[in-house]
């Protein structure tokens, strides 16, 4: 299969739908025990990457960057290179759990508060009894701590999910990736909070009308400063669109 990419403000996104991405790209790599690093990126991550070269180098070294955020999909349409659909971290995480359940794969969870990760781990074991949950740890760590990373690597997990928030979660993967012989690595942001029932995901209707961001903001008003990056992102994409039209 020939993989297609769409570049949004110098970040290359895989152009795929969820079924194709899972069945033709991720599943074979998991079964072949190929080390894989996936980044799910929204406009906030794109903006941060373009302002911090070290972080940009990390995410562009990933095997795949998926469009997590309606802003990325809208930007691709404005640039006349429409991406097929959103592939969100939360949805992708659940697909990975499904595969791990069917194939009895080893999973490790890293991140969130101690009470949250404990509850999330319990929910995963209840819903996916076929998973071998080899361990979990809260996210209040020094990401440079190699001892923790080595202890995780010794467990030989097939899937390692890091909920440390960007850029820490991707930096953790980049720093410790060489310690692992195998593994699928992905940062999942606040997904463990949703798993644990601490935060509710936006209802499907809100997702369909592209207001998932507003639902999250209502639940977590402290996120308002992070939302300020969206107009900046839109302006940059609009400027690029005008340059392309002129050329």
């Amino acid at each position: 299969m020939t993989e297609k990419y769409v570049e949004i403000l110098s970040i290359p996104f895989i152009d795929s739908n969820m079924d194709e991405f899972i069945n033709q790209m991720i599943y074979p790599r998991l079964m072949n025990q190929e080390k894989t690093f996936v980044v799910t990126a929204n406009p906030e991550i794109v903006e941060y990457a373009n302002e911090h070269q070290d972080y940009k180098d990390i995410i562009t070294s990933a095997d795949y960057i998926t469009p997590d955020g309606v802003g990325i999909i809208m930007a691709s349409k404005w640039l006349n290179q429409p991406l097929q659909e959103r592939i969100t971290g939360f949805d992708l995480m659940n697909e990975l759990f499904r595969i791990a359940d069917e194939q009895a794969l080893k999973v490790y969870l890293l991140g969130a508060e101690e009470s949250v990760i404990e509850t999330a781990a319990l929910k995963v074991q209840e819903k996916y009894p076929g998973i071998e949950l080899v361990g979990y740890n809260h996210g209040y760590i020094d990401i440079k701590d190699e001892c923790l990373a080595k202890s995780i690597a010794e467990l030989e997990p097939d899937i390692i999910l890091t909920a440390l928030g960007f850029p820490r979660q991707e930096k953790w993967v980049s720093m410790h990736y060489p310690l692992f012989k195998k593994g699928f690595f992905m940062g999942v942001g606040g997904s463990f909070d949703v798993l644990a029932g601490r935060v509710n995901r936006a209802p499907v209707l809100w997702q369909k009308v592209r207001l998932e961001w507003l639902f999250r903001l209502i639940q977590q008003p402290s996120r308002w400063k992070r939302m300020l990056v969206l107009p900046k992102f839109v302006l940059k994409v609009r400027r690029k669109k005008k340059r392309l039209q002129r050329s």
Side-chain angles (χ1 to χ4, degrees), residues 56-69:
K56 187 174 185 178
D57 290 342
I58 288 171
I59 69 169
T60 54
S61 73
D63 295 284
Y64 301 105
I65 303 174
T66 72
D68 183 344

Side-chain angles (χ1 to χ4, degrees), residues 235-246:
L235 281 172
K236 285 185 179 179
V237 174
R238 291 290 195 183
R239 285 195 202 107
K240 182 165 186 180
K241 180 181 179 180
K242 287 180 180 178
R243 286 199 300 272
L244 289 172
Q245 287 173 337
R246 285 198 295 267

Side-chain angles (χ1 to χ4, degrees), residues 9 14 18 36-37 39 43 56 65 100 114 117 119 135 158 243:
L9 299 184
I14 186 71
M18 180 65 86
T36 304
F37 178 23
V39 173
K56 187 174 185 178
I65 303 174
E114 191 159 5
I117 190 63
T119 304
D158 299 290
R243 286 199 300 272

Side-chain angles (χ1 to χ4, degrees), residues 182-216:
K182 64 172 183 176
F184 178 99
F185 298 78
M186 183 176 74
V188 294
S191 293
F192 293 169
D193 292 276
V194 179
L195 271 180
R198 182 70 63 91
V199 174
N200 294 319
R201 195 180 186 196
V204 174
L205 180 60
W206 286 65
Q207 294 178 45
K208 284 183 176 178
V209 296
R210 300 176 176 177
L211 288 175
E212 192 170 5
W213 63 272
L214 180 58
F215 185 87
R216 292 182 69 186

Side-chain angles (χ1 to χ4, degrees), residues 136-173:
Y136 59 86
N137 199 88
H138 63 77
Y140 292 87
I141 61 169
D142 175 0
I143 63 171
K144 295 179 182 177
D145 179 11
E146 197 169 269
C147 291
L148 174 62
K150 281 182 177 177
S151 70
I152 297 172
E154 287 170 2
L155 298 169
E156 298 188 348
D158 299 290
I159 297 168
I160 303 94
L161 301 176
T162 60
L164 303 172
F166 91 89
R168 293 177 75 239
Q169 57 195 23
E170 289 80 26
K171 286 184 176 181
W172 186 92
V173 173

Side-chain angles (χ1 to χ4, degrees), residues 67-117:
D68 183 344
V70 68
I72 300 297
I73 300 298
M74 291 173 68
S76 72
K77 291 177 180 177
W78 292 336
L79 297 172
N80 295 318
Q81 298 182 77
L83 288 159
Q84 292 183 47
E85 68 178 28
R86 290 175 67 197
I87 300 178
T88 71
F90 186 79
D91 292 333
L92 186 50
M93 177 184 71
N94 282 303
E95 286 294 314
L96 290 168
F97 286 152
R98 179 184 60 78
I99 294 171
D101 185 46
E102 292 172 355
Q103 301 296 328
L105 300 182
K106 296 179 179 180
V107 174
Y108 192 96
L109 309 177
L110 174 63
E113 296 176 13
E114 191 159 5
S115 61
V116 169
I117 190 63

